PDB file of all heavy atoms in Angstrom:
ATOM      1  N   GLY A  21    -102.680   6.388 133.689  1.00 95.00           N
ATOM      2  CA  GLY A  21    -104.112   6.375 133.240  1.00 95.00           C
ATOM      3  C   GLY A  21    -104.761   7.654 133.573  1.00 95.00           C
ATOM      4  O   GLY A  21    -104.641   8.234 134.667  1.00 95.00           O
ATOM      5  N   LYS A  22    -105.489   8.161 132.651  1.00 94.00           N
ATOM      6  CA  LYS A  22    -106.077   9.686 132.706  1.00 94.00           C
ATOM      7  C   LYS A  22    -107.676   9.258 132.879  1.00 94.00           C
ATOM      8  O   LYS A  22    -108.227   8.719 132.028  1.00 94.00           O
ATOM      9  CB  LYS A  22    -105.762  10.558 131.660  1.00 94.00           C
ATOM     10  CG  LYS A  22    -104.240  10.954 131.658  1.00 94.00           C
ATOM     11  CD  LYS A  22    -103.991  11.972 130.750  1.00 94.00           C
ATOM     12  CE  LYS A  22    -102.606  12.647 130.790  1.00 94.00           C
ATOM     13  NZ  LYS A  22    -102.281  13.702 129.682  1.00 94.00           N
ATOM     14  N   LEU A  23    -108.132   9.997 133.794  1.00 93.00           N
ATOM     15  CA  LEU A  23    -109.704   9.924 133.989  1.00 93.00           C
ATOM     16  C   LEU A  23    -110.274  11.310 134.263  1.00 93.00           C
ATOM     17  O   LEU A  23    -109.566  12.137 134.863  1.00 93.00           O
ATOM     18  CB  LEU A  23    -109.917   9.054 135.326  1.00 93.00           C
ATOM     19  CG  LEU A  23    -111.432   8.805 135.694  1.00 93.00           C
ATOM     20  CD1 LEU A  23    -112.029   7.939 134.630  1.00 93.00           C
ATOM     21  CD2 LEU A  23    -111.492   8.227 137.073  1.00 93.00           C
ATOM     22  N   HIS A  24    -111.304  11.493 133.603  1.00 92.00           N
ATOM     23  CA  HIS A  24    -112.052  12.792 133.751  1.00 92.00           C
ATOM     24  C   HIS A  24    -112.315  13.111 135.208  1.00 92.00           C
ATOM     25  O   HIS A  24    -112.863  12.193 135.849  1.00 92.00           O
ATOM     26  CB  HIS A  24    -113.291  12.818 132.854  1.00 92.00           C
ATOM     27  CG  HIS A  24    -113.800  14.215 132.454  1.00 92.00           C
ATOM     28  ND1 HIS A  24    -114.340  15.037 133.536  1.00 92.00           N
ATOM     29  CD2 HIS A  24    -113.789  14.839 131.261  1.00 92.00           C
ATOM     30  CE1 HIS A  24    -114.765  16.100 132.848  1.00 92.00           C
ATOM     31  NE2 HIS A  24    -114.423  16.038 131.522  1.00 92.00           N
ATOM     32  N   ALA A  25    -112.250  14.371 135.605  1.00 92.00           N
ATOM     33  CA  ALA A  25    -112.491  14.670 136.908  1.00 92.00           C
ATOM     34  C   ALA A  25    -113.950  14.415 137.303  1.00 92.00           C
ATOM     35  O   ALA A  25    -114.247  13.967 138.572  1.00 92.00           O
ATOM     36  CB  ALA A  25    -112.083  15.997 137.253  1.00 92.00           C
ATOM     37  N   ASP A  26    -114.775  14.628 136.414  1.00 90.00           N
ATOM     38  CA  ASP A  26    -116.257  14.489 136.752  1.00 90.00           C
ATOM     39  C   ASP A  26    -116.608  13.086 136.974  1.00 90.00           C
ATOM     40  O   ASP A  26    -117.528  12.704 137.786  1.00 90.00           O
ATOM     41  CB  ASP A  26    -117.134  15.012 135.565  1.00 90.00           C
ATOM     42  CG  ASP A  26    -117.123  16.735 135.588  1.00 90.00           C
ATOM     43  OD1 ASP A  26    -116.689  17.292 136.557  1.00 90.00           O
ATOM     44  OD2 ASP A  26    -117.369  17.215 134.642  1.00 90.00           O
ATOM     45  N   TYR A  27    -115.911  12.086 136.387  1.00 89.00           N
ATOM     46  CA  TYR A  27    -116.165  10.739 136.515  1.00 89.00           C
ATOM     47  C   TYR A  27    -115.774  10.251 137.998  1.00 89.00           C
ATOM     48  O   TYR A  27    -116.454   9.576 138.635  1.00 89.00           O
ATOM     49  CB  TYR A  27    -115.376   9.869 135.576  1.00 89.00           C
ATOM     50  CG  TYR A  27    -115.858   9.822 134.058  1.00 89.00           C
ATOM     51  CD1 TYR A  27    -115.058   9.765 133.101  1.00 89.00           C
ATOM     52  CD2 TYR A  27    -117.271   9.820 133.938  1.00 89.00           C
ATOM     53  CE1 TYR A  27    -115.637   9.724 131.769  1.00 89.00           C
ATOM     54  CE2 TYR A  27    -117.766   9.765 132.562  1.00 89.00           C
ATOM     55  CZ  TYR A  27    -116.896   9.845 131.597  1.00 89.00           C
ATOM     56  OH  TYR A  27    -117.395   9.766 130.240  1.00 89.00           O
ATOM     57  N   LEU A  28    -114.592  10.854 138.380  1.00 88.00           N
ATOM     58  CA  LEU A  28    -114.138  10.471 139.698  1.00 88.00           C
ATOM     59  C   LEU A  28    -114.979  10.960 140.743  1.00 88.00           C
ATOM     60  O   LEU A  28    -115.191  10.285 141.742  1.00 88.00           O
ATOM     61  CB  LEU A  28    -112.625  10.980 139.858  1.00 88.00           C
ATOM     62  CG  LEU A  28    -111.982  10.558 141.069  1.00 88.00           C
ATOM     63  CD1 LEU A  28    -111.795   8.963 141.195  1.00 88.00           C
ATOM     64  CD2 LEU A  28    -110.599  11.286 141.150  1.00 88.00           C
ATOM     65  N   ILE A  29    -115.412  12.243 140.765  1.00 87.00           N
ATOM     66  CA  ILE A  29    -116.269  12.868 141.780  1.00 87.00           C
ATOM     67  C   ILE A  29    -117.778  12.544 141.628  1.00 87.00           C
ATOM     68  O   ILE A  29    -118.487  13.166 142.383  1.00 87.00           O
ATOM     69  CB  ILE A  29    -115.977  14.463 141.904  1.00 87.00           C
ATOM     70  CG1 ILE A  29    -116.361  15.131 140.592  1.00 87.00           C
ATOM     71  CG2 ILE A  29    -114.544  14.614 142.236  1.00 87.00           C
ATOM     72  CD1 ILE A  29    -116.128  16.551 140.690  1.00 87.00           C
ATOM     73  N   GLY A  30    -118.146  11.854 140.684  1.00 83.00           N
ATOM     74  CA  GLY A  30    -119.517  11.459 140.466  1.00 83.00           C
ATOM     75  C   GLY A  30    -120.410  12.403 139.841  1.00 83.00           C
ATOM     76  O   GLY A  30    -121.700  12.234 139.766  1.00 83.00           O
ATOM     77  N   ARG A  31    -119.849  13.353 139.131  1.00 84.00           N
ATOM     78  CA  ARG A  31    -120.796  14.326 138.378  1.00 84.00           C
ATOM     79  C   ARG A  31    -121.178  13.731 137.017  1.00 84.00           C
ATOM     80  O   ARG A  31    -122.101  14.328 136.296  1.00 84.00           O
ATOM     81  CB  ARG A  31    -120.061  15.575 138.143  1.00 84.00           C
ATOM     82  CG  ARG A  31    -119.688  16.383 139.461  1.00 84.00           C
ATOM     83  CD  ARG A  31    -119.082  17.735 139.209  1.00 84.00           C
ATOM     84  NE  ARG A  31    -118.879  18.430 140.464  1.00 84.00           N
ATOM     85  CZ  ARG A  31    -118.190  19.601 140.430  1.00 84.00           C
ATOM     86  NH1 ARG A  31    -117.999  20.190 139.271  1.00 84.00           N
ATOM     87  NH2 ARG A  31    -118.010  20.246 141.711  1.00 84.00           N
ATOM     88  N   ARG A  32    -120.476  12.747 136.373  1.00 82.00           N
ATOM     89  CA  ARG A  32    -120.790  12.094 135.220  1.00 82.00           C
ATOM     90  C   ARG A  32    -120.712  10.552 135.408  1.00 82.00           C
ATOM     91  O   ARG A  32    -119.977  10.111 136.313  1.00 82.00           O
ATOM     92  CB  ARG A  32    -119.828  12.387 134.123  1.00 82.00           C
ATOM     93  CG  ARG A  32    -119.862  14.013 133.817  1.00 82.00           C
ATOM     94  CD  ARG A  32    -118.793  14.297 132.761  1.00 82.00           C
ATOM     95  NE  ARG A  32    -119.003  13.644 131.476  1.00 82.00           N
ATOM     96  CZ  ARG A  32    -118.137  13.754 130.424  1.00 82.00           C
ATOM     97  NH1 ARG A  32    -117.140  14.676 130.520  1.00 82.00           N
ATOM     98  NH2 ARG A  32    -118.343  13.175 129.383  1.00 82.00           N
ATOM     99  N   GLU A  33    -121.632   9.859 134.835  1.00 80.00           N
ATOM    100  CA  GLU A  33    -121.857   8.380 135.028  1.00 80.00           C
ATOM    101  C   GLU A  33    -120.786   7.652 134.099  1.00 80.00           C
ATOM    102  O   GLU A  33    -120.561   8.059 132.983  1.00 80.00           O
ATOM    103  CB  GLU A  33    -123.203   7.885 134.645  1.00 80.00           C
ATOM    104  CG  GLU A  33    -123.455   6.562 134.991  1.00 80.00           C
ATOM    105  CD  GLU A  33    -123.556   6.358 136.453  1.00 80.00           C
ATOM    106  OE1 GLU A  33    -123.839   7.410 137.182  1.00 80.00           O
ATOM    107  OE2 GLU A  33    -123.388   5.334 136.997  1.00 80.00           O
ATOM    108  N   ALA A  34    -120.071   6.798 134.656  1.00 74.00           N
ATOM    109  CA  ALA A  34    -119.070   5.987 134.084  1.00 74.00           C
ATOM    110  C   ALA A  34    -119.367   4.514 134.167  1.00 74.00           C
ATOM    111  O   ALA A  34    -120.005   4.035 135.133  1.00 74.00           O
ATOM    112  CB  ALA A  34    -117.558   6.295 134.477  1.00 74.00           C
ATOM    113  N   LYS A  35    -118.835   3.675 133.279  1.00 75.00           N
ATOM    114  CA  LYS A  35    -118.904   2.221 133.372  1.00 75.00           C
ATOM    115  C   LYS A  35    -117.854   1.657 134.312  1.00 75.00           C
ATOM    116  O   LYS A  35    -116.808   1.430 133.914  1.00 75.00           O
ATOM    117  CB  LYS A  35    -118.754   1.554 132.105  1.00 75.00           C
ATOM    118  CG  LYS A  35    -119.670   1.889 131.034  1.00 75.00           C
ATOM    119  CD  LYS A  35    -119.487   1.263 129.584  1.00 75.00           C
ATOM    120  CE  LYS A  35    -120.491   1.795 128.586  1.00 75.00           C
ATOM    121  NZ  LYS A  35    -120.115   1.113 127.286  1.00 75.00           N
ATOM    122  N   HIS A  36    -118.294   1.633 135.565  1.00 70.00           N
ATOM    123  CA  HIS A  36    -117.267   1.247 136.658  1.00 70.00           C
ATOM    124  C   HIS A  36    -117.582  -0.129 137.225  1.00 70.00           C
ATOM    125  O   HIS A  36    -116.760  -0.660 137.923  1.00 70.00           O
ATOM    126  CB  HIS A  36    -117.248   2.374 137.832  1.00 70.00           C
ATOM    127  CG  HIS A  36    -118.547   2.562 138.398  1.00 70.00           C
ATOM    128  ND1 HIS A  36    -119.152   1.685 139.314  1.00 70.00           N
ATOM    129  CD2 HIS A  36    -119.483   3.586 138.254  1.00 70.00           C
ATOM    130  CE1 HIS A  36    -120.359   2.277 139.618  1.00 70.00           C
ATOM    131  NE2 HIS A  36    -120.521   3.304 138.979  1.00 70.00           N
ATOM    132  N   GLY A  37    -118.697  -0.727 136.925  1.00 70.00           N
ATOM    133  CA  GLY A  37    -119.050  -2.060 137.393  1.00 70.00           C
ATOM    134  C   GLY A  37    -118.893  -2.155 138.968  1.00 70.00           C
ATOM    135  O   GLY A  37    -119.532  -1.330 139.629  1.00 70.00           O
ATOM    136  N   HIS A  38    -118.138  -3.040 139.429  1.00 76.00           N
ATOM    137  CA  HIS A  38    -118.052  -3.298 140.935  1.00 76.00           C
ATOM    138  C   HIS A  38    -117.040  -2.266 141.487  1.00 76.00           C
ATOM    139  O   HIS A  38    -116.830  -2.253 142.729  1.00 76.00           O
ATOM    140  CB  HIS A  38    -117.607  -4.666 141.277  1.00 76.00           C
ATOM    141  CG  HIS A  38    -116.317  -5.012 140.653  1.00 76.00           C
ATOM    142  ND1 HIS A  38    -116.096  -5.479 139.415  1.00 76.00           N
ATOM    143  CD2 HIS A  38    -115.094  -5.100 141.337  1.00 76.00           C
ATOM    144  CE1 HIS A  38    -114.672  -5.803 139.280  1.00 76.00           C
ATOM    145  NE2 HIS A  38    -114.150  -5.448 140.244  1.00 76.00           N
ATOM    146  N   ILE A  39    -116.216  -1.453 140.595  1.00 80.00           N
ATOM    147  CA  ILE A  39    -115.203  -0.656 141.129  1.00 80.00           C
ATOM    148  C   ILE A  39    -115.868   0.682 141.345  1.00 80.00           C
ATOM    149  O   ILE A  39    -116.303   1.319 140.385  1.00 80.00           O
ATOM    150  CB  ILE A  39    -114.091  -0.567 140.124  1.00 80.00           C
ATOM    151  CG1 ILE A  39    -113.560  -2.023 139.831  1.00 80.00           C
ATOM    152  CG2 ILE A  39    -112.927   0.342 140.638  1.00 80.00           C
ATOM    153  CD1 ILE A  39    -112.571  -1.994 138.615  1.00 80.00           C
ATOM    154  N   HIS A  40    -115.684   1.214 142.588  1.00 82.00           N
ATOM    155  CA  HIS A  40    -116.245   2.649 142.812  1.00 82.00           C
ATOM    156  C   HIS A  40    -115.158   3.621 142.203  1.00 82.00           C
ATOM    157  O   HIS A  40    -113.996   3.351 142.415  1.00 82.00           O
ATOM    158  CB  HIS A  40    -116.492   2.837 144.322  1.00 82.00           C
ATOM    159  CG  HIS A  40    -117.117   4.065 144.582  1.00 82.00           C
ATOM    160  ND1 HIS A  40    -116.572   5.216 144.738  1.00 82.00           N
ATOM    161  CD2 HIS A  40    -118.469   4.332 144.778  1.00 82.00           C
ATOM    162  CE1 HIS A  40    -117.483   6.214 145.038  1.00 82.00           C
ATOM    163  NE2 HIS A  40    -118.708   5.672 145.087  1.00 82.00           N
ATOM    164  N   PRO A  41    -115.646   4.669 141.628  1.00 82.00           N
ATOM    165  CA  PRO A  41    -114.629   5.624 141.020  1.00 82.00           C
ATOM    166  C   PRO A  41    -113.572   6.151 142.029  1.00 82.00           C
ATOM    167  O   PRO A  41    -112.523   6.389 141.705  1.00 82.00           O
ATOM    168  CB  PRO A  41    -115.559   6.772 140.434  1.00 82.00           C
ATOM    169  CG  PRO A  41    -116.850   6.120 140.262  1.00 82.00           C
ATOM    170  CD  PRO A  41    -117.094   5.049 141.358  1.00 82.00           C
ATOM    171  N   SER A  42    -113.914   6.316 143.329  1.00 83.00           N
ATOM    172  CA  SER A  42    -113.008   6.656 144.242  1.00 83.00           C
ATOM    173  C   SER A  42    -111.975   5.702 144.507  1.00 83.00           C
ATOM    174  O   SER A  42    -110.805   6.065 145.051  1.00 83.00           O
ATOM    175  CB  SER A  42    -113.702   7.139 145.557  1.00 83.00           C
ATOM    176  OG  SER A  42    -114.322   6.002 146.162  1.00 83.00           O
ATOM    177  N   ASP A  43    -112.062   4.463 144.227  1.00 87.00           N
ATOM    178  CA  ASP A  43    -111.154   3.467 144.400  1.00 87.00           C
ATOM    179  C   ASP A  43    -110.417   3.120 143.125  1.00 87.00           C
ATOM    180  O   ASP A  43    -109.515   2.144 143.110  1.00 87.00           O
ATOM    181  CB  ASP A  43    -111.807   2.137 144.846  1.00 87.00           C
ATOM    182  CG  ASP A  43    -112.529   2.251 146.205  1.00 87.00           C
ATOM    183  OD1 ASP A  43    -112.042   3.192 147.013  1.00 87.00           O
ATOM    184  OD2 ASP A  43    -113.503   1.628 146.473  1.00 87.00           O
ATOM    185  N   PHE A  44    -110.662   3.884 142.057  1.00 89.00           N
ATOM    186  CA  PHE A  44    -109.933   3.559 140.702  1.00 89.00           C
ATOM    187  C   PHE A  44    -108.454   3.826 140.971  1.00 89.00           C
ATOM    188  O   PHE A  44    -107.667   3.150 140.281  1.00 89.00           O
ATOM    189  CB  PHE A  44    -110.644   4.421 139.700  1.00 89.00           C
ATOM    190  CG  PHE A  44    -110.105   4.135 138.376  1.00 89.00           C
ATOM    191  CD1 PHE A  44    -110.141   2.793 137.794  1.00 89.00           C
ATOM    192  CD2 PHE A  44    -109.517   5.010 137.536  1.00 89.00           C
ATOM    193  CE1 PHE A  44    -109.781   2.492 136.531  1.00 89.00           C
ATOM    194  CE2 PHE A  44    -108.812   4.811 136.304  1.00 89.00           C
ATOM    195  CZ  PHE A  44    -109.155   3.487 135.907  1.00 89.00           C
ATOM    196  N   GLY A  45    -108.119   4.876 141.653  1.00 89.00           N
ATOM    197  CA  GLY A  45    -106.673   5.215 141.817  1.00 89.00           C
ATOM    198  C   GLY A  45    -105.898   4.093 142.485  1.00 89.00           C
ATOM    199  O   GLY A  45    -104.827   3.735 142.122  1.00 89.00           O
ATOM    200  N   ASP A  46    -106.612   3.495 143.559  1.00 90.00           N
ATOM    201  CA  ASP A  46    -105.890   2.451 144.194  1.00 90.00           C
ATOM    202  C   ASP A  46    -105.829   1.180 143.369  1.00 90.00           C
ATOM    203  O   ASP A  46    -104.840   0.426 143.439  1.00 90.00           O
ATOM    204  CB  ASP A  46    -106.685   2.127 145.475  1.00 90.00           C
ATOM    205  CG  ASP A  46    -106.703   3.198 146.469  1.00 90.00           C
ATOM    206  OD1 ASP A  46    -105.623   4.021 146.518  1.00 90.00           O
ATOM    207  OD2 ASP A  46    -107.641   3.242 147.317  1.00 90.00           O
ATOM    208  N   LEU A  47    -106.817   0.981 142.484  1.00 90.00           N
ATOM    209  CA  LEU A  47    -106.705  -0.186 141.599  1.00 90.00           C
ATOM    210  C   LEU A  47    -105.596   0.014 140.628  1.00 90.00           C
ATOM    211  O   LEU A  47    -104.783  -0.915 140.375  1.00 90.00           O
ATOM    212  CB  LEU A  47    -108.079  -0.236 140.717  1.00 90.00           C
ATOM    213  CG  LEU A  47    -108.035  -1.307 139.701  1.00 90.00           C
ATOM    214  CD1 LEU A  47    -108.093  -2.766 140.360  1.00 90.00           C
ATOM    215  CD2 LEU A  47    -109.301  -1.184 138.852  1.00 90.00           C
ATOM    216  N   LEU A  48    -105.375   1.159 140.037  1.00 93.00           N
ATOM    217  CA  LEU A  48    -104.292   1.420 139.135  1.00 93.00           C
ATOM    218  C   LEU A  48    -102.833   1.286 139.845  1.00 93.00           C
ATOM    219  O   LEU A  48    -102.045   0.698 139.352  1.00 93.00           O
ATOM    220  CB  LEU A  48    -104.341   2.824 138.456  1.00 93.00           C
ATOM    221  CG  LEU A  48    -105.524   3.005 137.404  1.00 93.00           C
ATOM    222  CD1 LEU A  48    -105.351   4.375 136.835  1.00 93.00           C
ATOM    223  CD2 LEU A  48    -105.565   2.012 136.486  1.00 93.00           C
ATOM    224  N   HIS A  49    -102.894   1.827 141.211  1.00 92.00           N
ATOM    225  CA  HIS A  49    -101.644   1.724 141.936  1.00 92.00           C
ATOM    226  C   HIS A  49    -101.220   0.356 142.218  1.00 92.00           C
ATOM    227  O   HIS A  49    -100.232  -0.047 142.309  1.00 92.00           O
ATOM    228  CB  HIS A  49    -101.808   2.486 143.230  1.00 92.00           C
ATOM    229  CG  HIS A  49    -100.518   2.576 144.057  1.00 92.00           C
ATOM    230  ND1 HIS A  49     -99.436   3.325 143.659  1.00 92.00           N
ATOM    231  CD2 HIS A  49    -100.323   2.015 145.195  1.00 92.00           C
ATOM    232  CE1 HIS A  49     -98.380   3.166 144.683  1.00 92.00           C
ATOM    233  NE2 HIS A  49     -99.017   2.358 145.595  1.00 92.00           N
ATOM    234  N   ARG A  50    -102.245  -0.478 142.414  1.00 92.00           N
ATOM    235  CA  ARG A  50    -102.046  -1.960 142.695  1.00 92.00           C
ATOM    236  C   ARG A  50    -101.335  -2.683 141.535  1.00 92.00           C
ATOM    237  O   ARG A  50    -100.639  -3.471 141.646  1.00 92.00           O
ATOM    238  CB  ARG A  50    -103.369  -2.734 143.016  1.00 92.00           C
ATOM    239  CG  ARG A  50    -103.103  -4.090 143.507  1.00 92.00           C
ATOM    240  CD  ARG A  50    -104.620  -4.737 143.663  1.00 92.00           C
ATOM    241  NE  ARG A  50    -105.490  -3.894 144.310  1.00 92.00           N
ATOM    242  CZ  ARG A  50    -106.852  -4.150 144.285  1.00 92.00           C
ATOM    243  NH1 ARG A  50    -107.372  -4.979 143.616  1.00 92.00           N
ATOM    244  NH2 ARG A  50    -107.678  -3.306 144.970  1.00 92.00           N
ATOM    245  N   TYR A  51    -101.623  -2.142 140.325  1.00 93.00           N
ATOM    246  CA  TYR A  51    -101.021  -2.674 139.165  1.00 93.00           C
ATOM    247  C   TYR A  51     -99.747  -1.993 138.703  1.00 93.00           C
ATOM    248  O   TYR A  51     -99.228  -2.144 137.533  1.00 93.00           O
ATOM    249  CB  TYR A  51    -101.906  -2.642 137.904  1.00 93.00           C
ATOM    250  CG  TYR A  51    -103.247  -3.507 138.050  1.00 93.00           C
ATOM    251  CD1 TYR A  51    -104.539  -3.133 137.744  1.00 93.00           C
ATOM    252  CD2 TYR A  51    -103.158  -4.742 138.943  1.00 93.00           C
ATOM    253  CE1 TYR A  51    -105.628  -3.953 137.891  1.00 93.00           C
ATOM    254  CE2 TYR A  51    -104.286  -5.495 139.068  1.00 93.00           C
ATOM    255  CZ  TYR A  51    -105.518  -5.012 138.658  1.00 93.00           C
ATOM    256  OH  TYR A  51    -106.617  -5.742 138.995  1.00 93.00           O
ATOM    257  N   GLY A  52     -99.246  -1.080 139.462  1.00 93.00           N
ATOM    258  CA  GLY A  52     -98.194  -0.151 139.092  1.00 93.00           C
ATOM    259  C   GLY A  52     -98.289   0.940 138.212  1.00 93.00           C
ATOM    260  O   GLY A  52     -97.479   1.377 137.571  1.00 93.00           O
ATOM    261  N   MET A  53     -99.600   1.482 138.149  1.00 95.00           N
ATOM    262  CA  MET A  53     -99.865   2.610 137.290  1.00 95.00           C
ATOM    263  C   MET A  53    -100.294   3.848 138.209  1.00 95.00           C
ATOM    264  O   MET A  53    -100.682   3.591 139.264  1.00 95.00           O
ATOM    265  CB  MET A  53    -101.056   2.235 136.314  1.00 95.00           C
ATOM    266  CG  MET A  53    -100.773   1.042 135.371  1.00 95.00           C
ATOM    267  SD  MET A  53    -102.231   0.647 134.376  1.00 95.00           S
ATOM    268  CE  MET A  53    -102.476   2.080 133.380  1.00 95.00           C
ATOM    269  N   GLU A  54    -100.125   4.947 137.659  1.00 94.00           N
ATOM    270  CA  GLU A  54    -100.386   6.303 138.259  1.00 94.00           C
ATOM    271  C   GLU A  54    -101.648   6.872 137.646  1.00 94.00           C
ATOM    272  O   GLU A  54    -101.890   6.908 136.430  1.00 94.00           O
ATOM    273  CB  GLU A  54     -99.270   7.256 138.122  1.00 94.00           C
ATOM    274  CG  GLU A  54     -98.028   6.806 138.955  1.00 94.00           C
ATOM    275  CD  GLU A  54     -96.969   7.923 139.008  1.00 94.00           C
ATOM    276  OE1 GLU A  54     -97.377   9.003 139.365  1.00 94.00           O
ATOM    277  OE2 GLU A  54     -95.833   7.685 138.712  1.00 94.00           O
ATOM    278  N   LEU A  55    -102.476   7.370 138.569  1.00 95.00           N
ATOM    279  CA  LEU A  55    -103.804   8.063 138.044  1.00 95.00           C
ATOM    280  C   LEU A  55    -103.504   9.447 137.930  1.00 95.00           C
ATOM    281  O   LEU A  55    -103.018  10.153 138.814  1.00 95.00           O
ATOM    282  CB  LEU A  55    -104.987   7.772 139.025  1.00 95.00           C
ATOM    283  CG  LEU A  55    -106.171   8.507 138.709  1.00 95.00           C
ATOM    284  CD1 LEU A  55    -106.835   8.003 137.374  1.00 95.00           C
ATOM    285  CD2 LEU A  55    -107.317   8.343 139.830  1.00 95.00           C
ATOM    286  N   ILE A  56    -103.983  10.039 136.748  1.00 95.00           N
ATOM    287  CA  ILE A  56    -103.901  11.504 136.441  1.00 95.00           C
ATOM    288  C   ILE A  56    -105.311  11.960 136.130  1.00 95.00           C
ATOM    289  O   ILE A  56    -105.943  11.422 135.252  1.00 95.00           O
ATOM    290  CB  ILE A  56    -102.947  11.791 135.303  1.00 95.00           C
ATOM    291  CG1 ILE A  56    -101.511  11.400 135.544  1.00 95.00           C
ATOM    292  CG2 ILE A  56    -102.956  13.287 135.030  1.00 95.00           C
ATOM    293  CD1 ILE A  56    -100.595  11.498 134.470  1.00 95.00           C
ATOM    294  N   THR A  57    -105.837  12.812 136.992  1.00 95.00           N
ATOM    295  CA  THR A  57    -107.131  13.330 136.766  1.00 95.00           C
ATOM    296  C   THR A  57    -107.093  14.547 135.863  1.00 95.00           C
ATOM    297  O   THR A  57    -106.412  15.622 136.189  1.00 95.00           O
ATOM    298  CB  THR A  57    -107.791  13.796 138.152  1.00 95.00           C
ATOM    299  OG1 THR A  57    -107.676  12.556 139.052  1.00 95.00           O
ATOM    300  CG2 THR A  57    -109.243  14.125 137.949  1.00 95.00           C
ATOM    301  N   ASP A  58    -107.728  14.510 134.790  1.00 94.00           N
ATOM    302  CA  ASP A  58    -107.644  15.759 133.848  1.00 94.00           C
ATOM    303  C   ASP A  58    -109.059  16.507 133.719  1.00 94.00           C
ATOM    304  O   ASP A  58    -110.049  16.120 134.474  1.00 94.00           O
ATOM    305  CB  ASP A  58    -107.234  15.150 132.414  1.00 94.00           C
ATOM    306  CG  ASP A  58    -108.228  14.159 131.833  1.00 94.00           C
ATOM    307  OD1 ASP A  58    -109.190  13.862 132.599  1.00 94.00           O
ATOM    308  OD2 ASP A  58    -107.820  13.700 130.876  1.00 94.00           O
ATOM    309  N   HIS A  59    -109.130  17.497 132.960  1.00 93.00           N
ATOM    310  CA  HIS A  59    -110.346  18.375 132.897  1.00 93.00           C
ATOM    311  C   HIS A  59    -110.686  18.972 134.101  1.00 93.00           C
ATOM    312  O   HIS A  59    -111.875  19.028 134.495  1.00 93.00           O
ATOM    313  CB  HIS A  59    -111.485  17.472 132.260  1.00 93.00           C
ATOM    314  CG  HIS A  59    -111.182  17.072 130.830  1.00 93.00           C
ATOM    315  ND1 HIS A  59    -110.522  16.014 130.461  1.00 93.00           N
ATOM    316  CD2 HIS A  59    -111.651  17.646 129.653  1.00 93.00           C
ATOM    317  CE1 HIS A  59    -110.605  15.841 129.193  1.00 93.00           C
ATOM    318  NE2 HIS A  59    -111.092  16.880 128.585  1.00 93.00           N
ATOM    319  N   VAL A  60    -109.778  19.418 134.886  1.00 94.00           N
ATOM    320  CA  VAL A  60    -109.977  20.077 136.186  1.00 94.00           C
ATOM    321  C   VAL A  60    -110.184  21.569 135.862  1.00 94.00           C
ATOM    322  O   VAL A  60    -109.209  22.209 135.328  1.00 94.00           O
ATOM    323  CB  VAL A  60    -108.932  19.935 137.240  1.00 94.00           C
ATOM    324  CG1 VAL A  60    -109.256  20.557 138.528  1.00 94.00           C
ATOM    325  CG2 VAL A  60    -108.648  18.399 137.476  1.00 94.00           C
TER     326      VAL A  60
END
């Protein structure tokens, strides 16, 4: 799963609901997926 770097560090607003962007990598890892941060 690829996520924009600004979404992860909070520079851009994303629809994250109850999931904090900093915990999104752990959420994907729980399901067997790897997080790739792009647009760095």
